Amino acid sequence: MPNSSDARDAIFSSIRTALQVPANADTAAVAAEYAALPRLYKREGTMNSEALLDLFTHRLVEYDAGVCRISAENISREIARILGERGRKRIAIPDGLPPEWLPAGFDFQNASRFNEHQLDQLEGVLTGCTVACAETGSIVLQNAAAQGPRSLTLVPDFHLCVVFAAQVVETVPECFARLDATAALPTTFFSGPSATADIEMTRIKGVHGPRFLDVLLVL
Amino acid sequence: MKEQAHSPWSNRSFPEAAKDLLADSQIRRNVRHATNIIQAKRNRVVGELPDWEQLRVSGAAIRAHALAHLDHYLAQFEDNCTRAGGHVHWARDAAEANRIILELIQRHSAKEVIKIKTMTSEEIGLNRNLEANGIHPHETDLAELIIQLGHDKPSHFVVPALHKNRQQVREIFQREMHLPDLGEQPEDLASAARTYLREKYLRIKVAVSGANFLVAENGAVCIVESEGNGRMCLTLPDVLISLVGIEKVVPRYRDLEVFLQTLPRSATGERMNPYNSIWTGVHAGDGPKEFHVVLLDNGRSPILADGEARQTLQCIRCGACLNACPVYHQTGGHAYESVYPGPIGAILTPQLHQMKDARSLPYASSLCGACYEVCPVKINIPEVLIHLRGKVVQQDQKTLAGKLGLWNIGMQAAAFLFEDSTRLSLAQHLGQIGQKVVVSKNGFIEHLPLMLSGWTQTRDLRPLPAQSFRDWWAQREKAKPGAASSSSPQPSNATEKPHAE
Ligand code: SF4
């Protein structure tokens, strides 16, 4: 192994020479400069909750995801309906998913500790989420209760995601404000099913991630 | 060990390489088609954000601030990444980065690795180096796979294979994946790639990636992608090695709220790309057990010293300046003979080479300013281009060959003439007589002789008028207070050839 600390010293000294700064920065001054950076972009949303959910739904549909608005008492029934329509039985679920969501008649397997080969054998995955952003139609997952490790929502070809209205914010900055406290957790933003535009700029759904996405929006 | 610090594709200059590419009408059609589509989408989704300008201002300010305190933020990133269970390595140049990565892969006795698209690995020639050492890298991004299987080079850094159309992609896949019956619909091609790569994701245990952003405050790494190949590589293998330029650090997690708005909209014209992954170090039961970040300098730190050119390092590699550039539209990416093409490549590449190579690139622009207008971090590319042209000239004037070069002599002579009105007027009169032999029947100068012929290759020149503006003015002043002459000749100027495309 090359001596990394030589390289490190050389790079730091080259940077400091170029910037003409001393080795120990005045951290308070740097922090003050950072705090004074201009931030006049839109941070707080302005929509009422009806408009907000409409926008979120609209974005998801544009991405070719299925969206259903349901009420909390119907979660389990709606899950059964969608899985039935999709013809999927063997479904991965993460730790911490509320058991009352699970309808009878399906093979739900707690797959939080499954390896990728085991996950590859399943027909879909059911999760909740941490937060969702209406303006961009994005849903954010973290390694937390009802969401599980990243591979869980990646390997199976179908993802059914339950999003509560209170989890939907309008802007990307609002989204980050909600994530700040748990920023260290592995985090995935997904906006529609996996897609590529690498061939002649045609958007093609489903390359490596789940090709099918359904969202249950709980009011 | 002294190895080549960079791996430029060749030593051809931009005009030489561009000439070949301009003759390839298929590439030009493909490039034009793709860039027109991305640009239209980009304009639509940028136009719907009333605060776009404020996002640009903030993005530029955050990046400039991070660069001004790069040592501070890199040290902070290193601390926090290490605390989260990651390993940080430092590479002064391409050779050092290649050695570190090779050693890490060999430590795990891996013979194959999976890769997510990274320009930085292209910059250090990683694939060639791995292959020379018996390790096979599999590109997993659809476009990179097309490039790799087609033994080609990327021509755009967001859509590297935009110079290939579907028929060309089908031919490559038929041949390399042994699928004689493959259809040519984009869906067929994508699903062939899905099957081809899935087996590799499930089997190969070491992955190599780049990164879009590093977050100093918590050691997080952020990767923005579309297909899910990135998530596969970041999540399934046991070992992940991320090669990242030292300039990619931002101070705080919440700074991503700016770039995750501006990057997708600028890069692919989407409000958000399908997937963003953000993680810190290693996390038990989720993702790789071992995580390495290799921080690469390779000519970046000296750029910080140049106050005017430092902004080059603010780049977030969205590719919008390529799509907006009229020169790129005509030539495509390969003419730049560089890993980083287009307007940003024209300023970044020569600086990474300490202005010793790629010196024709600062001239590969018409300075129209379209690149600056679209840049989400407000890099004033035309300003830097002119600044770098100045540097090239200064460098040349330091050498004997440069001093005696036609360009320098011409410029010095022009300076001498323009300095003094008698000299200028004498030269104009001599020119009016001398030009008679080069003016064509149509009244234009179509071919200048010898070393001046380059100028008229693509332009016609108006001849010097019979009377110069200065002579006309002097005459007019003399004739006062009578009526001014009405037949005023226009000052001479260059006219684009109407038939040149
Ligand atoms: S210079 Fe600006 S527009 Fe060009 S790739 Fe970089 S960030 Fe994008």
Side-chain angles (χ1 to χ4, degrees):
Chain A
M1 202 79 207
N3 189 340
S4 190
S5 88
D6 276 2
R8 184 187 187 280
D9 294 348
I11 292 172
F12 273 94
S13 114
S14 171
I15 294 172
R16 286 176 184 140
T17 310
L19 293 173
Q20 299 181 314
V21 293
N24 32 22
D26 176 354
T27 45
V30 176
E33 195 184 309
Y34 178 84
L37 294 177
R39 286 194 196 257
L40 297 174
Y41 52 86
K42 180 166 109 185
R43 305 181 82 167
E44 310 296 328
T46 51
M47 290 179 167
N48 64 36
S49 70
E50 194 47 40
L52 182 69
L53 296 180
D54 280 349
L55 179 64
F56 181 54
T57 307
H58 183 73
R59 293 286 189 254
L60 285 170
V61 170
E62 266 190 356
Y63 290 136
D64 225 350
V67 197
C68 258
R69 295 191 189 196
I70 61 169
S71 59
E73 58 271 24
N74 290 337
I75 294 179
S76 162
R77 206 175 70 205
E78 288 296 322
I79 289 174
R81 180 182 63 80
I82 288 180
L83 293 179
E85 282 171 15
R86 294 274 186 192
R88 302 190 185 235
K89 280 218 167 322
R90 270 174 301 127
I91 304 294
I93 54 167
D95 283 339
L97 196 85
E100 64 275 14
W101 287 8
L102 303 179
F106 296 89
D107 177 12
F108 290 106
Q109 305 186 14
N110 186 328
S112 286
R113 273 154 294 277
F114 276 19
N115 66 30
E116 52 275 20
H117 297 278
Q118 295 167 302
L119 287 171
D120 202 29
Q121 302 306 312
L122 298 176
E123 293 170 331
V125 55
L126 168 66
T127 70
C129 75
T130 298
V131 59
C133 174
E135 202 166 71
T136 61
S138 311
I139 299 174
V140 187
L141 302 171
Q142 292 194 310
N143 187 335
Q147 299 162 69
R150 289 171 289 174
S151 55
L152 188 80
T153 46
L154 173 64
V155 178
D157 199 19
F158 165 65
H159 186 183
L160 176 54
C161 189
V162 179
V163 179
F164 288 86
Q167 292 176 314
V168 184
V169 298
E170 183 178 329
T171 68
V172 176
E174 286 173 313
C175 203
F176 271 87
R178 293 234 188 152
L179 291 171
D180 213 35
T182 49
L185 294 175
T187 302
T188 307
F189 283 61
F190 68 103
S191 308
S194 102
T196 181
D198 275 346
I199 299 167
E200 296 184 9
M201 298 313 296
T202 310
R203 186 176 163 121
I204 314 160
K205 199 167 81 163
V207 192
H208 303 296
R211 284 184 285 192
F212 306 95
L213 170 66
D214 283 327
V215 175
L216 287 177
L217 186 52
V218 186
L219 303 177
Chain B
M1 190 158 111
K2 189 87 186 138
E3 275 174 47
Q4 196 182 9
H6 291 273
S7 43
W9 291 342
S10 86
N11 292 318
R12 294 204 303 172
S13 71
F14 179 82
E16 284 170 335
K19 212 171 207 170
D20 289 354
L21 286 153
L22 287 175
D24 190 331
S25 59
Q26 183 64 56
I27 286 200
R28 294 179 65 193
R29 240 194 325 270
N30 296 349
V31 169
R32 217 170 318 151
H33 173 78
T35 48
N36 284 342
I37 292 184
I38 314 181
Q39 238 194 315
K41 285 173 67 187
R42 179 251 168 218
N43 291 346
R44 202 179 61 227
V45 296
V46 163
E48 72 186 25
L49 287 191
D51 58 341
W52 180 252
E53 200 46 43
Q54 299 306 334
L55 286 166
R56 287 179 79 208
V57 168
S58 295
I62 294 167
R63 295 291 299 125
H65 169 83
L67 292 173
H69 306 283
L70 190 58
D71 56 328
H72 170 72
Y73 286 121
L74 280 174
Q76 213 185 338
F77 172 80
E78 182 185 37
D79 275 357
N80 290 321
C81 176
T82 310
R83 200 167 303 141
H87 303 270
V88 178
H89 310 259
W90 300 86
R92 274 165 285 201
D93 55 23
E96 204 158 53
N98 271 311
R99 269 203 308 274
I100 294 170
I101 296 172
L102 180 64
E103 215 271 343
L104 289 171
I105 297 171
Q106 283 173 340
R107 204 193 280 171
H108 293 275
S109 318
K111 286 281 161 227
E112 290 170 279
V113 297
I114 43 179
K115 280 187 70 199
I116 318 173
K117 183 177 81 175
T118 135
M119 296 311 297
T120 321
S121 97
E122 184 77 23
E123 177 186 326
I124 67 165
L126 180 65
N127 285 6
R128 269 197 312 281
N129 189 61
L130 292 180
E131 267 156 22
N133 287 282
I135 293 165
H136 185 69
H138 296 277
E139 294 290 350
T140 62
D141 179 75
L142 182 53
E144 288 287 345
L145 182 68
I146 295 167
I147 301 285
Q148 187 180 37
L149 295 179
H151 310 287
D152 198 353
K153 296 170 197 152
S155 68
H156 188 288
F157 43 71
V158 175
V159 208
L162 99 175
H163 59 289
K164 291 268 185 248
N165 64 21
R166 61 181 77 181
Q167 289 82 13
Q168 293 167 315
V169 175
R170 176 170 76 152
E171 276 165 37
I172 294 169
F173 281 11
Q174 283 179 324
R175 191 176 66 230
E176 301 286 326
M177 296 179 184
H178 311 292
L179 298 170
D181 302 324
L182 183 62
E184 67 169 35
Q185 289 310 313
E187 288 77 11
D188 302 331
L189 301 170
S191 110
R194 180 182 170 100
T195 317
Y196 178 81
L197 287 172
R198 182 148 288 224
E199 173 271 327
K200 300 189 168 51
Y201 296 137
L202 296 180
R203 178 169 56 80
I204 297 173
K205 290 297 157 212
V206 179
V208 177
S209 82
N212 293 93
F213 304 101
L214 305 175
V215 181
E217 137 181 274
N218 66 353
V221 182
C222 173
I223 288 188
V224 168
E225 52 132 356
S226 292
E227 298 165 14
N229 63 310
R231 290 180 68 193
M232 291 282 180
C233 294
L234 303 175
T235 316
L236 301 188
D238 291 336
V239 182
L240 172 62
I241 305 166
S242 299
L243 171 67
V244 193
I246 51 172
E247 82 281 20
K248 291 277 174 82
V249 68
V250 297
R252 301 192 50 187
Y253 183 70
R254 289 193 61 183
D255 295 332
L256 297 176
E257 73 191 20
V258 175
F259 302 111
L260 290 187
Q261 292 191 74
T262 52
L263 178 59
R265 287 178 201 254
S266 301
T268 50
E270 291 173 298
R271 297 185 179 95
M272 190 63 86
N273 43 288
Y275 297 130
N276 302 324
S277 297
I278 308 172
W279 75 95
T280 46
V282 291
H283 198 92
D286 188 345
K289 298 179 184 67
E290 214 180 291
F291 173 50
H292 300 269
V293 181
V294 181
L295 292 172
L296 177 73
D297 186 336
N298 209 28
R300 286 163 172 77
S301 55
I303 301 176
L304 295 168
D306 184 334
E308 216 158 322
R310 185 194 292 172
Q311 53 180 314
T312 309
L313 296 178
Q314 284 170 213
C315 176
I316 56 171
R317 306 276 188 271
C318 71
C321 57
L322 279 63
N323 306 329
C325 177
V327 176
Y328 181 90
H329 259 232
Q330 294 300 329
T331 63
H334 290 161
Y336 295 79
E337 291 282 347
S338 145
V339 175
Y340 302 105
I344 180 62
I347 59 173
L348 179 60
T349 307
Q351 295 189 79
L352 287 177
H353 291 268
Q354 272 93 52
M355 305 301 293
K356 288 189 198 103
D357 278 310
R359 292 160 30 114
S360 68
L361 287 184
Y363 294 90
S365 163
S366 65
L367 302 178
C368 73
C371 46
Y372 175 41
E373 214 141 279
V374 296
C375 178
V377 287
K378 293 190 80 127
I379 301 174
N380 193 333
I381 296 178
E383 182 184 282
V384 180
L385 282 166
I386 293 172
H387 175 71
L388 296 180
R389 288 181 188 183
K391 278 194 159 178
V392 169
V393 172
Q394 272 171 17
Q395 272 182 350
D396 282 351
Q397 282 174 337
K398 287 197 196 115
T399 67
L400 188 62
K403 266 202 197 89
L404 298 178
L406 176 72
W407 190 248
N408 191 41
I409 289 177
M411 283 299 174
Q412 301 295 335
F416 176 76
L417 290 177
F418 284 115
E419 241 165 43
D420 178 295
S421 64
T422 339
R423 281 181 221 153
L424 179 60
S425 141
L426 181 65
Q428 281 169 337
H429 288 125
L430 287 174
Q432 281 155 1
I433 301 167
Q435 71 180 353
K436 296 215 161 82
V437 291
V438 291
V439 177
S440 306
K441 283 204 197 75
N442 64 9
F444 282 95
I445 297 175
E446 292 182 303
H447 303 285
L448 280 170
L450 306 173
M451 56 268 212
L452 298 175
S453 61
W455 181 257
T456 45
Q457 234 166 34
T458 53
R459 313 170 181 80
D460 287 347
L461 208 58
R462 280 187 196 275
L464 296 174
Q467 187 183 33
S468 74
F469 176 79
R470 301 169 64 91
D471 289 350
W472 170 78
W473 185 259
Q475 202 181 359
R476 179 179 174 277
E477 292 292 290
K478 236 187 266 166
K480 266 184 181 171
S485 135
S486 58
S487 63
S488 41
Q490 297 299 310
S492 74
N493 55 13
T495 313
E496 299 296 325
K497 266 188 185 170
H499 49 82
E501 205 189 324

